[in-house]
Amino acid sequence: MSNLIVCAGGNENFYFAKALGIGMIQSSIKLSELCIKENPPKIIFVGTCGLYDKGELLQIYHSSHAFNIEFSSIKDKFYSPIKNEINLNVSYETFKNYKTNSSNYICQNKKAAQEFAKLGLELENMEFFSILCVAKNFGIEAEAFLCATNFCDENAHSLFIKNQEEAKKRLTLFLQEKNII
């Protein structure tokens, strides 16, 4: 049985990955269906991410630790009874495990990004929290390899558009070199 490699889809497709849908809801539904059908030993999510504070654009980041923290909760105006952290502790000696935040919205405000960074969050990807939640529910290992396209600031969307194709190429080459695909 082989690992299940998945991506968000939309304009972020990879020839070697199954598209799940954009955002946490679509991706969790589709991934649940795939887990029932295929029962994979491991889920590998591939895609792009934004950086909250530090890091290099077009660098590959590894994560098996995700959060679902919305900006409203940082400002102490809202709360949620839902557990908002999941860590599957997939460890590789060669990869640092970065903390990824998933939100229903893309951060494009430098001050907000700095608030997320103060919490120890490093990366932003819309789907990854739901990927880990589904994996945990099915008792399956999961991890992500994400290529940074932008910093989470006022230029987030334009940099994402500018760097997305190059990020997908670099991510594909990285996965080939590591014999993941």
Side-chain angles (χ1 to χ4, degrees):
M1 195 177 312
S2 61
N3 294 329
L4 177 60
I5 302 176
V6 295
C7 63
N11 59 352
E12 204 159 293
N13 281 306
F14 296 84
Y15 73 88
F16 53 84
K18 294 185 179 182
L20 300 176
I22 298 168
M24 289 187 280
I25 295 170
Q26 291 178 0
S27 61
S28 63
I29 292 168
K30 180 68 174 184
L31 183 58
S32 293
E33 291 170 353
L34 288 170
C35 287
I36 290 168
K37 181 180 174 185
E38 299 186 21
N39 192 27
K42 185 178 196 176
I43 299 164
I44 300 171
F45 177 69
V46 296
T48 60
C49 66
L51 300 168
Y52 282 131
D53 188 34
K54 300 176 199 155
E56 292 180 41
L57 295 183
L58 299 173
Q59 179 177 318
I60 309 298
Y61 293 87
H62 171 263
S63 184
S64 65
H65 195 168
F67 296 78
N68 173 221
I69 299 175
E70 301 289 347
F71 186 69
S72 59
S73 67
I74 292 174
K75 295 301 176 188
D76 295 325
K77 303 292 182 202
F78 298 82
Y79 79 94
S80 174
I82 299 170
K83 184 179 178 197
N84 65 358
E85 177 183 1
I86 189 161
N87 185 3
L88 294 185
N89 286 323
V90 176
S91 63
Y92 286 96
E93 290 98 33
T94 56
F95 300 124
K96 180 182 186 280
N97 192 14
Y98 289 85
K99 293 179 181 172
T100 305
N101 191 42
S102 295
S103 171
N104 289 304
Y105 299 91
I106 304 296
C107 179
Q108 53 183 1
N109 180 283
K110 188 174 180 108
K111 288 182 181 180
Q114 289 170 343
E115 293 292 320
F116 285 121
K118 285 179 190 174
L119 296 175
L121 301 171
E122 299 160 294
L123 313 176
E124 178 176 87
N125 172 277
M126 286 183 77
E127 296 81 20
F128 190 51
F129 180 79
S130 68
I131 304 301
L132 289 185
C133 287
V134 170
K136 184 175 182 179
N137 184 61
F138 284 95
I140 300 170
E141 286 186 57
E143 63 187 330
F145 292 99
L146 306 167
C147 187
T149 55
N150 57 276
F151 283 94
C152 295
D153 60 18
E154 292 72 18
N155 300 311
H157 185 68
S158 60
L159 275 177
F160 168 75
I161 297 298
K162 176 185 172 198
N163 291 327
Q164 185 186 35
E165 287 305 314
E166 181 63 25
K168 290 175 7 183
K169 288 177 192 172
R170 288 183 184 212
L171 188 54
T172 301
L173 287 172
F174 173 85
L175 296 170
Q176 288 170 339
E177 289 171 4
K178 300 295 181 189
N179 292 316
I180 296 170
I181 59 170

